[in-house]
Amino acid sequence: MWGRFVDLFRRRRLDADLESQLAHHLNALEAEYRARGLAPGDARAAARRDMGGLSQVRDAYRDQHGVPVFETIWRNSRFAVRALRRTPGLTATIVLTLALGIGANSAVFSTIDTVLLRPLSFPDADELVRVIQTQDKLLVGQEQAEALKVEIGSALADVEVPDFADIAGRDLVTGLLRRTSIDATTVRSALERPLAQIVDAVKDLLERTPPELASDVADRGLMLVGGGALLRGLDQRLQRETGLHVTVADDPLTTVARGAGQALEELATLRARADKPDKPRFGH
Amino acid sequence: MSREVLQGTLDLMVLRTLDVMGPQHGLGLAKRILQVSEGILNLNQGTLYPALLRLGQRRWIMSRWGLSENNRRAKFYELTARGRRQIAVETERWESTVAVMAKFLARPTGGE
């Protein structure tokens, strides 16, 4: 198969090779017949008879040095190009449609990839549970850790929070219940890794924002919604890292649900806006 | 024998001829094959060339340009190491085919 593939790229030379070999062969046979005393015309005919049908030989040779699948693809694409050339208007329309389609899709997907598909970690209490487990040899529940986060967690060092908070859990050494106090710095460093990921994701998305949208974002800034927005200092941290004005929505826990409800009530308005894609907006 | 030489049979004939005679051009091979078959094989000599190409693609033979005995430029074919191994394989296959056919064609010698 590889040999055939290689031959695909030197078909012209192979064809020339075959012709010169066939000519050599024919001439030699003809010369022999003439040496045996045949008239020139008869000798030529006899030589041809010995060789067999030359066009058949050429066909068999070509079949052998082409790779059938590639040959067919090549032939079909040449036909397609000819057909398209005959109808330039249609061709232009098709090419334009494809280009727009591909362009729009890749734009949409790069956004979706960042916003939805990239698993975005939430500054949850898992990390906190692990830190307390290794640092204080204390196994605490998910809920207790979450409460601790709400009580003294922050996204920035210079945010006012209580210095310490108590937490109860099972001592990993003795197996008994034990209380300990955790300081705010421990909580903040436990949250640091997921926070850094969130900041990165926001920056990444801003870099990919089309310019029309970007001016809008620069005007209005970012609004944080969802439970994660309740983390103290998250808005200031994002504001510091992105240079944009960042606000937290009123009652961020329910924003998404309320927004969805409102969207259902005002479907007509949304549809009208969706039909006019020349002025894209973020609906907050 | 008919003009249609069984594929594979011709391959083996070509390989074996190159094995015995060393590098040959197409004309020489055709002559030799006809000579060995004592005229029974009525070969269309042109069919040799697609076969030679096929054998080359399988790397069983290789070819280079040279001068024929009457000082013409001709393409000489010779066996590769793989081709030499292939002769053994093909010979074995051919012999087993012959053996099977012989069993079928043998006249019953009584019994059974």
Side-chain angles (χ1 to χ4, degrees), chain A residues 155-262:
Chain A
L156 275 177
D158 43 6
V159 174
E160 279 294 320
V161 284
D163 286 343
F164 291 97
D166 277 0
I167 192 165
R170 188 160 56 83
D171 190 304
L172 283 173
V173 183
T174 62
L176 301 173
L177 276 176
R178 179 159 68 84
R179 293 188 75 82
T180 184
S181 66
I182 306 289
D183 65 314
T185 319
T186 307
V187 177
R188 196 175 53 248
S189 60
L191 296 177
E192 187 50 41
R193 202 158 54 107
L195 272 174
Q197 282 177 6
I198 290 177
V199 171
D200 279 353
V202 171
K203 283 181 177 170
D204 195 23
L205 184 61
L206 284 173
E207 272 168 23
R208 299 193 202 188
T209 306
E212 315 76 55
L213 267 179
S215 69
D216 213 21
V217 175
D219 281 351
R220 302 176 177 211
L222 303 175
M223 182 173 281
L224 304 180
V225 299
L230 285 173
L231 184 65
R232 268 171 293 236
L234 182 59
D235 49 344
Q236 290 161 45
R237 167 110 180 226
L238 278 173
Q239 185 155 340
R240 198 172 292 176
E241 302 240 14
T242 61
L244 291 168
H245 181 64
V246 180
T247 49
V248 179
D250 300 332
D251 193 8
L253 275 173
T254 58
T255 319
V256 176
R258 281 186 291 122
Q262 199 161 350

Side-chain angles (χ1 to χ4, degrees), chain B residues 27-66:
Chain B
L27 179 67
L29 274 169
K31 274 189 183 165
R32 176 68 182 178
I33 288 173
L34 289 175
Q35 183 196 340
V36 171
S37 68
E38 295 170 331
I40 304 167
L41 185 65
N42 195 352
L43 177 74
N44 263 344
Q45 297 184 27
T47 55
L48 204 55
Y49 292 97
L52 286 169
L53 179 63
R54 183 171 61 238
L55 294 174
Q57 286 169 346
R58 291 179 185 166
R59 307 232 185 289
W60 292 346
I61 61 174
M62 55 187 195
S63 59
R64 63 169 68 111
W65 287 96

Side-chain angles (χ1 to χ4, degrees), chain A residues 2-4 7 14 17-18 20-22 24-25 27-29 32 49-53 57 60-61 64-65, chain B residues 3 25-27 30-31 43-50 53-54 57 59 65 68 70 72-75 77:
Chain A
W2 176 243
R4 294 186 74 150
D7 283 350
L14 280 169
D17 275 13
L18 175 69
S20 91
Q21 288 186 89
L22 289 179
H24 174 246
H25 199 136
N27 288 338
L29 285 178
E32 250 171 59
R49 200 182 51 232
D50 281 356
M51 282 296 276
V57 170
Y61 198 82
Q64 189 62 40
H65 72 56
Chain B
R3 282 182 168 250
H25 48 63
L27 179 67
K31 274 189 183 165
L43 177 74
N44 263 344
Q45 297 184 27
T47 55
L48 204 55
Y49 292 97
L53 179 63
R54 183 171 61 238
Q57 286 169 346
R59 307 232 185 289
W65 287 96
S68 68
N70 50 6
R72 288 271 182 75
R73 225 167 77 87
K75 203 167 195 180
Y77 296 89

Side-chain angles (χ1 to χ4, degrees), chain B residues 76-92:
Chain B
F76 283 82
Y77 296 89
E78 60 186 290
L79 216 55
T80 63
R82 280 173 81 159
R84 219 172 290 278
R85 281 198 296 277
Q86 193 59 28
I87 291 178
V89 174
E90 298 274 334
T91 305
E92 199 169 305

